[in-house]
Short mmCIF file of all heavy atoms in Angstrom, two decimals:
data_model
loop_
_atom_site.label_atom_id
_atom_site.label_comp_id
_atom_site.label_asym_id
_atom_site.label_seq_id
_atom_site.Cartn_x
_atom_site.Cartn_y
_atom_site.Cartn_z
N GLN A 19 6.91 15.47 -10.38
CA GLN A 19 7.23 16.90 -10.70
C GLN A 19 7.27 17.09 -12.16
O GLN A 19 6.82 18.03 -12.73
CB GLN A 19 8.51 17.31 -9.98
CG GLN A 19 8.40 17.51 -8.53
CD GLN A 19 9.74 17.98 -7.91
OE1 GLN A 19 10.69 18.46 -8.60
NE2 GLN A 19 9.86 17.79 -6.60
N ALA A 20 8.00 16.14 -12.90
CA ALA A 20 8.18 16.27 -14.34
C ALA A 20 6.80 16.24 -15.04
O ALA A 20 6.60 16.87 -16.08
CB ALA A 20 9.00 15.18 -14.90
N ALA A 21 5.85 15.49 -14.52
CA ALA A 21 4.47 15.38 -15.10
C ALA A 21 3.58 16.43 -14.60
O ALA A 21 2.39 16.49 -15.04
CB ALA A 21 3.90 14.03 -14.72
N GLY A 22 4.00 17.32 -13.71
CA GLY A 22 3.22 18.42 -13.27
C GLY A 22 2.14 17.91 -12.22
O GLY A 22 1.07 18.64 -12.04
N VAL A 23 2.41 16.86 -11.51
CA VAL A 23 1.51 16.34 -10.57
C VAL A 23 1.90 16.85 -9.22
O VAL A 23 3.09 16.58 -8.77
CB VAL A 23 1.50 14.76 -10.52
CG1 VAL A 23 0.67 14.24 -9.41
CG2 VAL A 23 1.01 14.25 -11.86
N ALA A 24 0.97 17.42 -8.51
CA ALA A 24 1.23 17.88 -7.12
C ALA A 24 0.97 16.72 -6.20
O ALA A 24 -0.16 16.20 -6.11
CB ALA A 24 0.33 19.01 -6.75
N ALA A 25 2.01 16.21 -5.60
CA ALA A 25 1.88 15.06 -4.71
C ALA A 25 2.79 15.17 -3.54
O ALA A 25 3.86 15.88 -3.58
CB ALA A 25 2.25 13.75 -5.51
N SER A 26 2.38 14.53 -2.47
CA SER A 26 3.21 14.55 -1.26
C SER A 26 3.96 13.32 -1.20
O SER A 26 3.51 12.14 -1.17
CB SER A 26 2.25 14.60 -0.01
OG SER A 26 3.03 14.55 1.16
N VAL A 27 5.35 13.47 -1.30
CA VAL A 27 6.33 12.35 -1.26
C VAL A 27 7.23 12.62 -0.04
O VAL A 27 7.82 13.70 0.03
CB VAL A 27 7.08 12.23 -2.54
CG1 VAL A 27 8.11 11.10 -2.47
CG2 VAL A 27 6.18 12.03 -3.73
N ARG A 28 7.33 11.66 0.81
CA ARG A 28 8.11 11.81 2.00
C ARG A 28 9.16 10.69 2.05
O ARG A 28 8.71 9.47 1.97
CB ARG A 28 7.33 11.91 3.27
CG ARG A 28 6.48 13.22 3.32
CD ARG A 28 5.77 13.22 4.74
NE ARG A 28 5.00 14.45 4.74
CZ ARG A 28 3.73 14.61 4.33
NH1 ARG A 28 3.18 13.62 3.68
NH2 ARG A 28 3.13 15.77 4.42
N ALA A 29 10.46 11.01 2.17
CA ALA A 29 11.48 9.91 2.22
C ALA A 29 11.43 8.96 1.14
O ALA A 29 11.54 7.78 1.26
CB ALA A 29 11.39 9.30 3.58
N GLY A 30 11.09 9.47 -0.07
CA GLY A 30 10.95 8.59 -1.24
C GLY A 30 9.70 7.78 -1.42
O GLY A 30 9.59 6.98 -2.32
N ALA A 31 8.77 8.00 -0.47
CA ALA A 31 7.51 7.21 -0.52
C ALA A 31 6.40 8.13 -0.85
O ALA A 31 6.22 9.25 -0.29
CB ALA A 31 7.33 6.47 0.81
N ALA A 32 5.48 7.59 -1.71
CA ALA A 32 4.29 8.35 -2.04
C ALA A 32 3.06 7.64 -1.53
O ALA A 32 3.03 6.37 -1.49
CB ALA A 32 4.15 8.49 -3.58
N ARG A 33 2.05 8.31 -1.07
CA ARG A 33 0.83 7.70 -0.59
C ARG A 33 -0.34 8.16 -1.53
O ARG A 33 -0.62 9.36 -1.67
CB ARG A 33 0.48 8.16 0.84
CG ARG A 33 -0.78 7.60 1.42
CD ARG A 33 -1.03 8.35 2.80
NE ARG A 33 -2.20 7.81 3.45
CZ ARG A 33 -3.41 8.42 3.25
NH1 ARG A 33 -3.57 9.42 2.44
NH2 ARG A 33 -4.43 7.86 3.89
N LEU A 34 -0.98 7.16 -2.20
CA LEU A 34 -2.03 7.46 -3.10
C LEU A 34 -3.25 6.91 -2.43
O LEU A 34 -3.33 5.82 -2.04
CB LEU A 34 -1.81 6.75 -4.46
CG LEU A 34 -0.62 7.23 -5.27
CD1 LEU A 34 0.68 6.59 -4.89
CD2 LEU A 34 -0.90 7.09 -6.79
N SER A 35 -4.30 7.78 -2.38
CA SER A 35 -5.53 7.37 -1.79
C SER A 35 -6.70 7.68 -2.75
O SER A 35 -6.88 8.78 -3.16
CB SER A 35 -5.74 8.30 -0.48
OG SER A 35 -6.94 7.92 0.13
N PHE A 36 -7.30 6.58 -3.19
CA PHE A 36 -8.37 6.62 -4.17
C PHE A 36 -9.77 6.84 -3.53
O PHE A 36 -9.99 6.27 -2.47
CB PHE A 36 -8.34 5.41 -5.09
CG PHE A 36 -6.98 5.26 -5.83
CD1 PHE A 36 -5.94 4.56 -5.22
CD2 PHE A 36 -6.79 5.91 -6.94
CE1 PHE A 36 -4.76 4.43 -5.89
CE2 PHE A 36 -5.61 5.79 -7.64
CZ PHE A 36 -4.58 5.05 -7.08
N HIS A 37 -10.56 7.64 -4.17
CA HIS A 37 -11.88 7.92 -3.62
C HIS A 37 -12.93 8.07 -4.69
O HIS A 37 -12.66 7.94 -5.84
CB HIS A 37 -11.79 9.17 -2.72
CG HIS A 37 -12.77 9.10 -1.55
ND1 HIS A 37 -14.08 8.65 -1.69
CD2 HIS A 37 -12.65 9.52 -0.26
CE1 HIS A 37 -14.66 8.76 -0.49
NE2 HIS A 37 -13.80 9.27 0.37
N LEU A 38 -14.18 8.37 -4.19
CA LEU A 38 -15.36 8.46 -5.06
C LEU A 38 -15.10 9.33 -6.31
O LEU A 38 -15.61 9.06 -7.41
CB LEU A 38 -16.49 8.95 -4.25
CG LEU A 38 -17.82 9.21 -4.97
CD1 LEU A 38 -18.30 7.90 -5.54
CD2 LEU A 38 -18.88 9.80 -4.01
N TYR A 39 -14.41 10.45 -6.11
CA TYR A 39 -14.21 11.46 -7.19
C TYR A 39 -13.12 11.00 -8.19
O TYR A 39 -12.89 11.76 -9.20
CB TYR A 39 -13.89 12.81 -6.58
CG TYR A 39 -12.92 12.77 -5.46
CD1 TYR A 39 -11.56 12.59 -5.70
CD2 TYR A 39 -13.36 12.83 -4.19
CE1 TYR A 39 -10.69 12.54 -4.65
CE2 TYR A 39 -12.49 12.77 -3.13
CZ TYR A 39 -11.17 12.65 -3.33
OH TYR A 39 -10.28 12.56 -2.33
N ASN A 40 -12.37 9.93 -7.96
CA ASN A 40 -11.39 9.40 -8.91
C ASN A 40 -12.04 8.53 -9.93
O ASN A 40 -13.02 7.86 -9.73
CB ASN A 40 -10.24 8.74 -8.18
CG ASN A 40 -9.53 9.70 -7.25
OD1 ASN A 40 -9.45 9.49 -6.03
ND2 ASN A 40 -8.89 10.72 -7.78
N THR A 41 -11.37 8.41 -11.13
CA THR A 41 -11.79 7.61 -12.15
C THR A 41 -10.76 6.65 -12.64
O THR A 41 -9.61 6.82 -12.31
CB THR A 41 -12.17 8.49 -13.46
OG1 THR A 41 -10.93 9.14 -13.96
CG2 THR A 41 -13.19 9.55 -13.08
N GLU A 42 -11.16 5.65 -13.35
CA GLU A 42 -10.21 4.65 -13.94
C GLU A 42 -9.19 5.35 -14.89
O GLU A 42 -8.01 5.06 -14.91
CB GLU A 42 -10.90 3.63 -14.70
CG GLU A 42 -11.75 2.65 -13.79
CD GLU A 42 -12.37 1.52 -14.66
OE1 GLU A 42 -12.48 1.59 -15.81
OE2 GLU A 42 -12.87 0.62 -13.98
N GLU A 43 -9.65 6.38 -15.61
CA GLU A 43 -8.75 7.13 -16.47
C GLU A 43 -7.69 7.87 -15.67
O GLU A 43 -6.52 7.91 -16.14
CB GLU A 43 -9.53 8.19 -17.32
CG GLU A 43 -10.44 7.52 -18.33
CD GLU A 43 -11.81 6.96 -17.73
OE1 GLU A 43 -12.23 7.33 -16.61
OE2 GLU A 43 -12.44 6.15 -18.44
N GLU A 44 -8.03 8.31 -14.52
CA GLU A 44 -6.99 8.97 -13.64
C GLU A 44 -6.00 7.94 -13.18
O GLU A 44 -4.83 8.24 -13.10
CB GLU A 44 -7.69 9.75 -12.53
CG GLU A 44 -8.39 10.96 -12.98
CD GLU A 44 -9.23 11.59 -11.80
OE1 GLU A 44 -9.84 10.83 -11.02
OE2 GLU A 44 -9.35 12.82 -11.89
N VAL A 45 -6.50 6.83 -12.83
CA VAL A 45 -5.55 5.72 -12.38
C VAL A 45 -4.60 5.36 -13.51
O VAL A 45 -3.39 5.27 -13.30
CB VAL A 45 -6.36 4.48 -11.91
CG1 VAL A 45 -5.46 3.28 -11.74
CG2 VAL A 45 -7.18 4.77 -10.69
N ASP A 46 -5.12 5.24 -14.73
CA ASP A 46 -4.28 4.86 -15.89
C ASP A 46 -3.29 6.04 -16.15
O ASP A 46 -2.14 5.73 -16.61
CB ASP A 46 -5.19 4.66 -17.10
CG ASP A 46 -6.05 3.43 -16.95
OD1 ASP A 46 -5.76 2.57 -16.05
OD2 ASP A 46 -7.02 3.26 -17.73
N SER A 47 -3.68 7.26 -15.92
CA SER A 47 -2.73 8.39 -16.11
C SER A 47 -1.59 8.35 -15.21
O SER A 47 -0.43 8.49 -15.55
CB SER A 47 -3.47 9.74 -15.96
OG SER A 47 -4.42 9.94 -16.96
#
């Protein structure tokens, strides 16, 4: 939230799913 990232977090757990449209720079961010 502080970083302005829209993410789904449930019960304190986040699920990140990487795909074709993602980049190494996004991972590093």
Side-chain angles (χ1 to χ4, degrees):
Q19 285 181 20
V23 174
S26 179
V27 179
R28 292 183 179 87
R33 179 185 181 271
L34 293 88
S35 181
F36 298 93
H37 211 318
L38 178 61
Y39 43 77
N40 295 121
T41 66
E42 289 182 350
E43 292 78 16
E44 290 172 324
V45 172
D46 295 343
S47 293

